[in-house]
Amino acid sequence: MGELVSRLARVMLPGLALLIAAFLVLPALIVVPLSFSNQTYLSFPPPGWSLKWYEAMTTDLAWPQAAVNSFFIGVPTALLSSILGTMAALAVARGRIAWAATASAVIVAPMLLPHIIMAIGLYPVMLDLGLLRGYLGVIVSHTVVAMPLVFITVSASLRTYPETLEMAAMTCGASPWPTFRYVTLPMIRPGVMVGAVLAFATSFDELMLSLFLTGPGTRTLPRLIWEQMNMFLTPTIAAVATLIFAFSLLLLGLVALLQNRAGANPSFARE
Amino acid sequence: MTERASGEAWTMSRGYARLLALPLLFLAVFFAWPLLRVIVRGFVDPSPGLANYIRVFGDGPYLKVLWNTVETAAVVTVLCLAIAYPVAYVAARLRGAWLHLAAAAVLIPMWTSVVIRSYAWMVVFQRQGVLNDALLALGLTDTPIRFLPGSIAVHVGMVHIMLPFMILPLIANMRAIDRTLLSAAAILGANPAMAFLKVFLPLSLPGINAGVALVFMTSLGFFVTPALLGGPRHMLAAVLIEQQANQLLNWGMASALATTLLVLTLAIYVFYARITGGAAGAGAGR
């Protein structure tokens, strides 16, 4: 009986796993062909092919504008998140703070709480500060939810080598900044970079905060897609989605590359 | 000499500890302060008192939406676990090219925009969509089924988004499990099913706990998927809060609902932080 079950499992499990993998990539397999459809309605598979939705996307100025906004918000978010996230990770990993676990929990919390809660809290705060509907307000808000990612990746990097390296630098007379610049940073650079890419990706994909905090001039790609989806479902969205998808794959490849390189680093992890 | 070194370490760690000031100040102003305003607003807007909460927990549509949110999150979590566990079991043993392929299958959807994925599900579930075409072709139905808006579409969309967040902690956990223990159990006379139940399953519990907490907590805050695929009949908390604030300008009510959602999520987060020992590292990505 048990033998039969295990034999069945051995045959069926890989098949099941393949099926789930297919389920996971299904949306991409639908959106990409759809963007090349020659029809207005969303029939799948498309009866004929054309590039007209890509044309429609470039002639409607709202799309390029939203793409530019997404970068104007995503890149500063990545930078700010990297600085604050790295500082926090250094403090928690090297600072011997008594309440380090609590500090970690507080720093990671914004990533895990529903964004809607922060959105309706940040709206009046940004209104008071005069930052509503401007770039800065969204950048700051996205940093709140993106910083935890840098914190996590840099914390992981800091665990790969002992702090005696920094202590050695300092006992040899290096002051804090050169120690960071020439000892710490080279060691944690992959972690910082992966964190920065993840922070950018978070901002690039974020809808809820953008919905509340951007205006017509600063609205991001997810917000524009969202607005368009609620009005009319044309394959233009599929064309935009395909480009975003390709870009996301690029970012994913970048992260994989960085992590590979981090893995190849002379590591102190195995003692 | 050792004393000197430890003194040096002390000043060094003090210097590092100071680095926490700026991030914490940032979070105080742009995280804690907004949350505090939400909590306070639920009690004072439009007038001081418990009026908003009496409406939330009274018999109205609000409590139903909150309950629906918890129920949907629970169902999505159970479905994710049921699907992810066997997948992780297989994937944790892969090596080489197959491992890369499995990683791609999990990571690519994670990196695809949530808005775009919901759009894809709309194409699948619409009246003349992929699913209805398939059902008609197979003769399983004579007339197209109306999936949108509906709870099947919401569940499928949410499971699709949360699945990687269940698979990844499980794989991380299962890769660390020494599979020779299963051989040991077999040598001692356990059949494979018994070995799995008594040895592997208990060892994979930390992965299950982490995945379940993460998926459940995240599912409570879902907005895009239920808003696009669920419609008014399958409304979830985040959609309701957005509607109250953005469209009805009923910020007091939105704040009371958000505070309720916050308490619910925090309870799970505290539990999660305890079982993973403080540093939450499993959920990188969203």
Side-chain angles (χ1 to χ4, degrees), chain A residues 120-173:
Chain A
I120 66 169
L122 280 163
Y123 183 90
V125 170
M126 292 303 170
L127 189 69
D128 290 352
L129 294 173
L131 296 176
L132 199 64
R133 298 193 184 92
Y135 288 113
L136 190 59
V138 198
I139 292 166
V140 164
S141 306
H142 278 181
T143 301
V144 174
V145 293
M147 189 176 91
L149 293 162
V150 181
F151 175 76
I152 289 169
T153 54
V154 175
S155 297
S157 301
L158 284 169
R159 278 194 292 269
T160 60
Y161 71 100
E163 64 181 315
T164 41
L165 282 192
E166 280 128 6
M167 221 190 292
M170 288 199 192
T171 23
C172 289

Side-chain angles (χ1 to χ4, degrees), chain B residues 50-267:
Chain B
L50 290 171
N52 288 322
Y53 284 94
I54 289 167
R55 276 178 70 200
V56 169
F57 290 104
D59 43 57
Y62 305 111
L63 196 60
K64 224 187 100 196
V65 170
L66 284 176
W67 176 242
N68 192 23
T69 308
V70 174
E71 194 187 296
T72 306
V75 172
V76 166
T77 307
V78 170
L79 286 174
C80 279
L81 182 61
I83 298 169
Y85 199 91
V87 171
Y89 187 84
V90 174
R93 278 201 292 200
L94 296 177
R95 300 206 189 287
W98 283 104
L99 180 66
H100 288 292
L101 214 63
V106 175
L107 289 173
I108 287 172
M110 253 175 114
W111 279 75
T112 313
S113 151
V114 173
V115 185
I116 291 172
R117 283 194 271 167
S118 300
Y119 173 78
W121 290 117
M122 286 173 92
V123 178
V124 171
F125 282 112
Q126 67 182 330
R127 216 172 163 71
Q128 271 135 16
V130 180
L131 184 60
N132 266 322
D133 284 351
L135 290 176
L136 286 168
L138 290 170
L140 291 174
T141 175
D142 300 327
T143 50
I145 298 169
R146 209 188 123 104
F147 290 106
L148 289 178
S151 74
I152 293 179
V154 173
H155 281 96
V156 171
M158 285 178 68
V159 166
H160 187 267
I161 290 165
M162 291 322 303
L163 207 47
F165 294 92
M166 186 69 89
I167 293 177
L168 290 180
L170 280 175
I171 290 183
N173 165 267
M174 287 180 186
R175 280 182 82 86
I177 296 177
D178 184 357
R179 302 239 178 180
T180 54
L181 289 173
L182 291 175
S183 316
I187 292 165
L188 293 173
N191 63 43
M194 191 61 103
F196 172 80
L197 283 176
K198 297 267 172 176
V199 178
F200 193 84
L201 191 63
L203 285 173
S204 66
L205 266 180
I208 295 177
N209 285 337
V212 163
L214 185 63
V215 170
F216 191 73
M217 190 163 52
T218 314
S219 297
L220 288 174
F222 258 66
F223 172 75
V224 179
T225 317
L228 288 173
L229 305 175
R233 274 187 308 158
H234 195 89
M235 190 174 273
L236 298 188
V239 184
L240 179 66
I241 296 169
E242 194 269 344
Q243 210 176 56
Q244 291 286 330
N246 238 355
Q247 289 161 42
L248 304 173
L249 302 177
N250 193 351
W251 283 81
M253 194 64 196
S255 301
L257 286 164
T259 306
T260 313
L261 188 62
L262 177 68
V263 169
L264 211 59
T265 316
L266 274 183

